[in-house]
Amino acid sequence: MEKDVSLTQASRFLSLVLRHEPQRIGLQLDTQGWADIADLLQRIALHGHALDRADLQRLVQSNDKQRFAISEDGLRIRASQGHSIAVDLGLQPLEPPAWLYHGTVPRFLEAISTQGLRPGERQHVHLSLDRQTAREVGARRGAPVILSVDAGRMHADGHRFYRSANGVWLTDHVPPKYIAG
Ligand code: HQG
């Protein structure tokens, strides 16, 4: 139990440094967002998250959303999506399912109806494959509202879609005309 609590905290801290603020621990990410695992473990230990290699492996494997990926050679780690810093994840454009879903909260609806869905601090707008996942995403901020996105029509109109290594659908912007309640 204790260990799980600290793994959750370590996971949050890893999200922070691998997606948003590597400089907080003096970490260097390459252009594709990868960090050297040995270097990372040393640096996060200095910030109170004493993990060994096996803990990290466990954290990556057990993570509820599979947020992190380890490179094939086992030497590097990166976040699979959610970055605010510019990284090139090397994702290939893909044809999306006909409909995707976005979970939000009532206070954003007015802005969304005029501006569409914007990426905010992140690199992409995040869309879910099913309504339940979208509900959970929205519920992080309040009573969730689920918006349906006509991804099929967006794609036919030339908008690009990507799917992260952990199955989140990504696009640059969803104009209001493709959003249904
Ligand atoms: C809203 C979690 C005003 C949008 C989740 C959202 C996801 C607007 C918020 C991932 C807007 C941005 C991403 C507009 C969108 N005006 N508000 N025009 N367009 N918004 O956290 O999608 O746990 O950056 O509805 O599972 O909530 O981090 O995006 O409420 O996959 O791995 O602006 O984060 O994954 O919030 O969540 P976020 P999100 P992790």
Short mmCIF file of all heavy atoms in Angstrom, two decimals, residues 91-115:
data_model
loop_
_atom_site.label_atom_id
_atom_site.label_comp_id
_atom_site.label_asym_id
_atom_site.label_seq_id
_atom_site.Cartn_x
_atom_site.Cartn_y
_atom_site.Cartn_z
N LEU A 91 4.30 10.76 -34.40
CA LEU A 91 3.02 10.08 -34.67
C LEU A 91 2.64 10.29 -36.13
O LEU A 91 2.79 11.37 -36.68
CB LEU A 91 1.92 10.65 -33.77
CG LEU A 91 2.17 10.50 -32.26
CD1 LEU A 91 1.07 11.21 -31.48
CD2 LEU A 91 2.27 9.04 -31.87
N GLN A 92 2.12 9.22 -36.73
CA GLN A 92 1.68 9.29 -38.12
C GLN A 92 0.20 9.63 -38.16
O GLN A 92 -0.57 9.09 -37.37
CB GLN A 92 1.89 7.93 -38.80
CG GLN A 92 3.32 7.48 -38.88
CD GLN A 92 4.20 8.49 -39.58
OE1 GLN A 92 3.83 9.01 -40.63
NE2 GLN A 92 5.34 8.82 -38.99
N PRO A 93 -0.21 10.50 -39.10
CA PRO A 93 -1.64 10.78 -39.23
C PRO A 93 -2.41 9.49 -39.53
O PRO A 93 -1.93 8.64 -40.29
CB PRO A 93 -1.72 11.74 -40.41
CG PRO A 93 -0.36 12.28 -40.58
CD PRO A 93 0.60 11.24 -40.06
N LEU A 94 -3.57 9.34 -38.90
CA LEU A 94 -4.37 8.12 -39.04
C LEU A 94 -5.82 8.49 -39.31
O LEU A 94 -6.27 9.55 -38.85
CB LEU A 94 -4.39 7.37 -37.71
CG LEU A 94 -3.26 6.46 -37.30
CD1 LEU A 94 -3.64 5.80 -35.98
CD2 LEU A 94 -3.02 5.41 -38.38
N GLU A 95 -6.54 7.61 -39.96
CA GLU A 95 -7.97 7.84 -40.12
C GLU A 95 -8.66 7.54 -38.78
O GLU A 95 -8.53 6.45 -38.24
CB GLU A 95 -8.54 6.93 -41.21
CG GLU A 95 -10.01 7.22 -41.41
CD GLU A 95 -10.59 6.50 -42.61
OE1 GLU A 95 -9.81 5.94 -43.42
OE2 GLU A 95 -11.82 6.49 -42.72
N PRO A 96 -9.41 8.51 -38.26
CA PRO A 96 -10.04 8.30 -36.95
C PRO A 96 -11.34 7.53 -37.10
O PRO A 96 -11.88 7.42 -38.20
CB PRO A 96 -10.33 9.73 -36.49
CG PRO A 96 -10.60 10.46 -37.77
CD PRO A 96 -9.70 9.84 -38.81
N PRO A 97 -11.89 7.03 -35.99
CA PRO A 97 -13.25 6.49 -36.03
C PRO A 97 -14.23 7.62 -36.38
O PRO A 97 -13.88 8.80 -36.27
CB PRO A 97 -13.50 6.01 -34.61
CG PRO A 97 -12.31 6.35 -33.80
CD PRO A 97 -11.31 7.03 -34.65
N ALA A 98 -15.43 7.26 -36.77
CA ALA A 98 -16.40 8.28 -37.21
C ALA A 98 -16.66 9.31 -36.12
O ALA A 98 -16.77 10.51 -36.40
CB ALA A 98 -17.71 7.59 -37.61
N TRP A 99 -16.75 8.87 -34.87
CA TRP A 99 -17.02 9.79 -33.77
C TRP A 99 -15.99 9.61 -32.67
O TRP A 99 -15.58 8.49 -32.37
CB TRP A 99 -18.43 9.55 -33.18
CG TRP A 99 -19.50 9.97 -34.13
CD1 TRP A 99 -20.10 9.19 -35.06
CD2 TRP A 99 -20.06 11.29 -34.27
NE1 TRP A 99 -21.01 9.94 -35.78
CE2 TRP A 99 -21.01 11.23 -35.31
CE3 TRP A 99 -19.86 12.51 -33.61
CZ2 TRP A 99 -21.75 12.34 -35.71
CZ3 TRP A 99 -20.60 13.61 -34.00
CH2 TRP A 99 -21.52 13.52 -35.04
N LEU A 100 -15.57 10.73 -32.10
CA LEU A 100 -14.72 10.71 -30.91
C LEU A 100 -15.40 11.61 -29.87
O LEU A 100 -16.32 12.37 -30.22
CB LEU A 100 -13.31 11.22 -31.25
CG LEU A 100 -12.47 10.25 -32.09
CD1 LEU A 100 -11.24 10.96 -32.66
CD2 LEU A 100 -12.03 9.04 -31.25
N TYR A 101 -14.93 11.54 -28.65
CA TYR A 101 -15.63 12.22 -27.56
C TYR A 101 -14.66 13.07 -26.73
O TYR A 101 -13.48 12.74 -26.61
CB TYR A 101 -16.34 11.18 -26.67
CG TYR A 101 -17.28 10.37 -27.50
CD1 TYR A 101 -16.86 9.16 -28.07
CD2 TYR A 101 -18.55 10.83 -27.81
CE1 TYR A 101 -17.70 8.43 -28.91
CE2 TYR A 101 -19.40 10.12 -28.64
CZ TYR A 101 -18.96 8.92 -29.19
OH TYR A 101 -19.78 8.22 -30.03
N HIS A 102 -15.19 14.17 -26.20
CA HIS A 102 -14.38 15.05 -25.37
C HIS A 102 -15.14 15.36 -24.10
O HIS A 102 -16.28 15.84 -24.16
CB HIS A 102 -14.06 16.35 -26.13
CG HIS A 102 -13.22 17.31 -25.35
ND1 HIS A 102 -11.85 17.23 -25.32
CD2 HIS A 102 -13.56 18.35 -24.56
CE1 HIS A 102 -11.37 18.19 -24.53
NE2 HIS A 102 -12.39 18.90 -24.07
N GLY A 103 -14.51 15.12 -22.98
CA GLY A 103 -15.14 15.40 -21.69
C GLY A 103 -14.69 16.75 -21.18
O GLY A 103 -13.50 17.03 -21.10
N THR A 104 -15.68 17.60 -20.86
CA THR A 104 -15.33 18.92 -20.33
C THR A 104 -16.30 19.25 -19.20
O THR A 104 -16.96 18.36 -18.66
CB THR A 104 -15.31 19.97 -21.47
OG1 THR A 104 -14.78 21.19 -20.96
CG2 THR A 104 -16.68 20.19 -22.09
N VAL A 105 -16.36 20.52 -18.82
CA VAL A 105 -17.26 20.95 -17.74
C VAL A 105 -18.06 22.17 -18.21
O VAL A 105 -17.62 22.89 -19.12
CB VAL A 105 -16.47 21.27 -16.45
CG1 VAL A 105 -16.07 19.98 -15.74
CG2 VAL A 105 -15.26 22.13 -16.73
N PRO A 106 -19.21 22.43 -17.60
CA PRO A 106 -20.12 23.48 -18.08
C PRO A 106 -19.46 24.85 -18.27
O PRO A 106 -19.77 25.56 -19.22
CB PRO A 106 -21.20 23.53 -17.00
CG PRO A 106 -21.23 22.14 -16.45
CD PRO A 106 -19.81 21.67 -16.48
N ARG A 107 -18.52 25.19 -17.38
CA ARG A 107 -17.99 26.56 -17.47
C ARG A 107 -17.20 26.83 -18.76
O ARG A 107 -16.98 27.98 -19.12
CB ARG A 107 -17.15 26.90 -16.24
CG ARG A 107 -15.88 26.10 -16.06
CD ARG A 107 -15.14 26.56 -14.79
NE ARG A 107 -13.86 25.91 -14.62
CZ ARG A 107 -13.69 24.71 -14.06
NH1 ARG A 107 -14.73 24.03 -13.61
NH2 ARG A 107 -12.47 24.20 -13.93
N PHE A 108 -16.79 25.78 -19.47
CA PHE A 108 -16.03 26.00 -20.71
C PHE A 108 -16.92 25.99 -21.96
O PHE A 108 -16.45 26.28 -23.06
CB PHE A 108 -14.95 24.92 -20.89
CG PHE A 108 -13.87 24.94 -19.83
CD1 PHE A 108 -13.29 23.75 -19.39
CD2 PHE A 108 -13.41 26.13 -19.29
CE1 PHE A 108 -12.29 23.75 -18.43
CE2 PHE A 108 -12.40 26.15 -18.32
CZ PHE A 108 -11.85 24.96 -17.88
N LEU A 109 -18.20 25.65 -21.77
CA LEU A 109 -19.04 25.39 -22.96
C LEU A 109 -19.24 26.62 -23.85
O LEU A 109 -19.24 26.52 -25.08
CB LEU A 109 -20.40 24.82 -22.55
CG LEU A 109 -20.36 23.39 -22.00
CD1 LEU A 109 -21.75 22.95 -21.58
CD2 LEU A 109 -19.77 22.42 -23.04
N GLU A 110 -19.37 27.77 -23.22
CA GLU A 110 -19.61 28.96 -24.02
C GLU A 110 -18.40 29.24 -24.92
O GLU A 110 -18.54 29.48 -26.12
CB GLU A 110 -19.90 30.15 -23.11
CG GLU A 110 -20.53 31.30 -23.86
CD GLU A 110 -20.80 32.49 -22.95
OE1 GLU A 110 -21.17 32.25 -21.77
OE2 GLU A 110 -20.63 33.62 -23.42
N ALA A 111 -17.22 29.20 -24.32
CA ALA A 111 -16.01 29.45 -25.12
C ALA A 111 -15.84 28.37 -26.19
O ALA A 111 -15.48 28.67 -27.34
CB ALA A 111 -14.78 29.48 -24.21
N ILE A 112 -16.14 27.13 -25.84
CA ILE A 112 -15.99 26.04 -26.81
C ILE A 112 -16.97 26.24 -27.97
O ILE A 112 -16.63 25.99 -29.13
CB ILE A 112 -16.20 24.66 -26.13
CG1 ILE A 112 -15.02 24.38 -25.19
CG2 ILE A 112 -16.34 23.55 -27.17
CD1 ILE A 112 -15.20 23.14 -24.30
N SER A 113 -18.17 26.75 -27.68
CA SER A 113 -19.15 26.90 -28.77
C SER A 113 -18.73 27.99 -29.75
O SER A 113 -19.11 27.96 -30.92
CB SER A 113 -20.55 27.16 -28.20
OG SER A 113 -20.61 28.46 -27.69
N THR A 114 -17.93 28.95 -29.32
CA THR A 114 -17.48 29.97 -30.27
C THR A 114 -16.10 29.66 -30.86
O THR A 114 -15.88 29.84 -32.05
CB THR A 114 -17.45 31.38 -29.62
OG1 THR A 114 -16.63 31.32 -28.45
CG2 THR A 114 -18.83 31.84 -29.23
N GLN A 115 -15.19 29.12 -30.02
CA GLN A 115 -13.80 28.89 -30.49
C GLN A 115 -13.55 27.46 -30.93
O GLN A 115 -12.51 27.17 -31.51
CB GLN A 115 -12.81 29.18 -29.36
CG GLN A 115 -12.90 30.56 -28.78
CD GLN A 115 -12.14 30.64 -27.44
OE1 GLN A 115 -11.49 29.68 -27.02
NE2 GLN A 115 -12.23 31.78 -26.79
#
